[in-house]
Amino acid sequence: MKALFIGGTGTISTAISSALVRQGWELYLLNRGNNNDRVPEGAKVIKTDINDEAGVAALIKDLSFDVVADFIAFVPSQVERDIRLFSGKTKQYIFISSASAYQKPLSDYRITESTPLANPYWEYSRNKIACEELLISEYRKTGFPVTIVRPSHTYDDRSIPLGVHGDNGSWQVAKRMLENKPVIIHGDGTSLWTLTHNSDFAKGFTGLMGNIHAVGEAVNITSDESLTWNQIYEIIASALGVKLNAVHISSYYLAECSSYDFTGSLIGDKANTVIFDNSKLKRLVPGFNATVRFDQGIRALLDNVLSHPELQKDDPEFDRWCDNVIENYKNSIKKL
């Protein structure tokens, strides 16, 4: 079996790439070659920019694939390009959408693939919805063999999954914990959230690859474990060996007083309770089961981050922002 991944070295795709090579797939990764240290031994790299459509077309002219998956398509124009490039050259095209595309606010906290798609708070999610609509239309008109995958919050061993962090990643929040500084948790911390380790995501994804029953379908791939944000932050602090010093601040307050896109990432996503029904995935991939509990995954993640200084990216601007927001919030409470 032969697959082409556009990207293939990101948080989600690295675990899938490694799994496929172990399973004996002939794997091509089409990317700019910026993360060669994450390319599994045995994969073949086509070094180019996917946005150079004519150049890509020339490079793959004599190639065809059982599966093409695009991990870096975010807007309809990129999907339109993929349709032009891969029509007639693949038996299955997998588009990585997002569970943030589901309606906000939710009419039912239990999310299935039939939950409506509508997110007025986040342009990222609306663009994913538009990509899905374009692909399904193409499937209906021409038979373009699309499978849509909707991941939720998937993490690996390099970046700590959190609700509130700056543009330079999440290390600064862990650093605040280690320094016993107050850490912001959005809302009251009791909404439920789902975190999925990328090795578990890879099990579901590889099971959909080459699966004729998945063509024309949209499928959630998440863990069945649900945790409150309070539990998530407590687990992280415990794994760091420190006591959590939490300050709960309204998601709407954070969105209003910040240049960070908390309207999209919180109001349009993480501030909502989400519990996913993975029944469809389990029908399509018999035996699928997410096995990495968050407390296990976070310990391995933190061991890796703490032993690799290059993953500890300081964010002094976000640190100052946290201090200012917390101080202003506490002062406003005192005035009541």
Side-chain angles (χ1 to χ4, degrees):
M1 299 283 278
K2 186 189 298 185
L4 172 69
F5 284 179
I6 303 166
T9 57
T11 297
I12 288 178
S13 54
T14 297
I16 304 168
S17 297
S18 297
L20 286 183
V21 170
R22 289 195 302 270
Q23 293 172 20
W25 281 68
E26 183 180 355
L27 177 63
Y28 293 77
L29 304 182
L30 191 156
N31 56 49
R32 291 176 292 182
N34 294 334
N35 294 303
N36 286 334
D37 60 318
R38 307 194 79 186
V39 174
E41 185 177 352
K44 303 173 184 178
V45 177
I46 302 174
K47 188 176 179 180
T48 187
D49 187 339
I50 185 61
N51 296 305
D52 177 12
E53 185 175 341
V56 171
L59 288 169
I60 66 170
K61 184 176 73 168
D62 298 324
L63 295 173
S64 61
F65 305 94
D66 295 289
V67 180
V68 171
D70 194 337
F71 293 89
I72 53 173
F74 302 100
V75 296
S77 61
Q78 294 169 330
V79 167
E80 290 170 345
R81 173 207 64 213
D82 285 358
I83 292 170
R84 291 191 296 269
L85 281 170
F86 301 114
S87 288
K89 296 188 75 66
T90 185
K91 298 174 184 176
Q92 184 185 31
Y93 171 90
I94 303 181
F95 173 67
I96 291 75
S97 186
S98 169
S100 70
Y102 287 117
Q103 67 177 186
K104 303 294 182 303
L106 287 161
S107 58
D108 191 317
Y109 67 92
R110 293 163 297 188
I111 295 177
T112 71
E113 288 80 2
S114 61
T115 298
L117 304 180
N119 191 332
Y121 302 105
W122 206 359
E123 184 180 14
Y124 164 82
S125 305
R126 293 194 296 274
N127 282 332
K128 288 290 191 179
I129 294 169
C131 290
E132 287 198 28
E133 290 174 342
L134 192 158
L135 285 162
I136 290 300
S137 175
E138 193 68 21
Y139 169 69
R140 289 170 178 162
K141 288 188 298 184
T142 70
F144 187 72
V146 64
T147 296
I148 294 166
V149 168
R150 297 180 186 140
S152 185
H153 200 159
T154 307
Y155 67 100
D156 60 2
D157 62 351
R158 299 166 66 89
S159 180
I160 305 163
L162 292 165
V164 179
H165 60 78
D167 293 334
N168 206 29
S170 55
W171 166 251
Q172 193 66 45
V173 179
K175 188 176 180 181
R176 290 180 69 88
M177 290 183 183
L178 290 168
E179 294 172 350
N180 196 35
K181 296 181 73 172
V183 170
I184 295 171
I185 298 179
H186 59 278
D188 64 3
T190 61
S191 59
L192 290 168
W193 193 244
T194 300
L195 292 161
T196 308
H197 194 269
N198 67 346
S199 63
D200 282 331
F201 185 90
K203 295 176 195 173
F205 193 95
T206 56
L208 294 174
M209 293 180 65
N211 187 333
I212 61 170
H213 304 292
V215 174
E217 299 286 351
V219 188
N220 295 331
I221 304 179
T222 77
S223 169
D224 292 321
E225 180 183 30
S226 297
L227 297 164
T228 68
W229 281 107
N230 286 333
Q231 289 173 321
I232 290 167
Y233 278 75
E234 287 282 2
I235 289 169
I236 294 169
S238 176
L240 288 169
V242 299
K243 181 176 175 58
L244 178 65
N245 182 3
V247 177
H248 293 87
I249 299 179
S250 160
S251 298
Y252 288 94
Y253 184 98
L254 294 172
E256 287 295 324
C257 68
S258 173
S259 59
Y260 302 109
D261 184 19
F262 290 142
T263 297
S265 65
L266 291 182
I267 312 302
D269 197 24
K270 297 180 181 70
N272 299 270
T273 281
V274 292
I275 297 176
F276 294 92
D277 183 337
N278 288 297
S279 299
K280 185 174 185 178
L281 174 64
K282 292 173 182 178
R283 288 196 303 272
L284 291 168
V285 186
F288 170 80
N289 189 34
T291 57
V292 180
R293 288 199 323 262
F294 182 64
D295 62 305
Q296 299 168 331
I298 201 65
R299 283 198 297 271
L301 187 163
L302 288 171
D303 285 346
N304 187 60
V305 169
L306 292 171
S307 62
H308 289 82
E310 70 275 14
L311 298 178
Q312 301 168 25
K313 298 179 181 178
D314 287 344
D315 194 341
E317 181 179 342
F318 175 73
D319 200 48
R320 288 190 296 272
W321 177 85
C322 288
D323 290 337
N324 292 333
V325 168
I326 291 168
E327 181 181 5
N328 291 336
Y329 183 74
K330 288 183 175 179
N331 287 338
S332 68
I333 292 175
K334 290 177 183 177
K335 294 177 182 178
L336 294 177

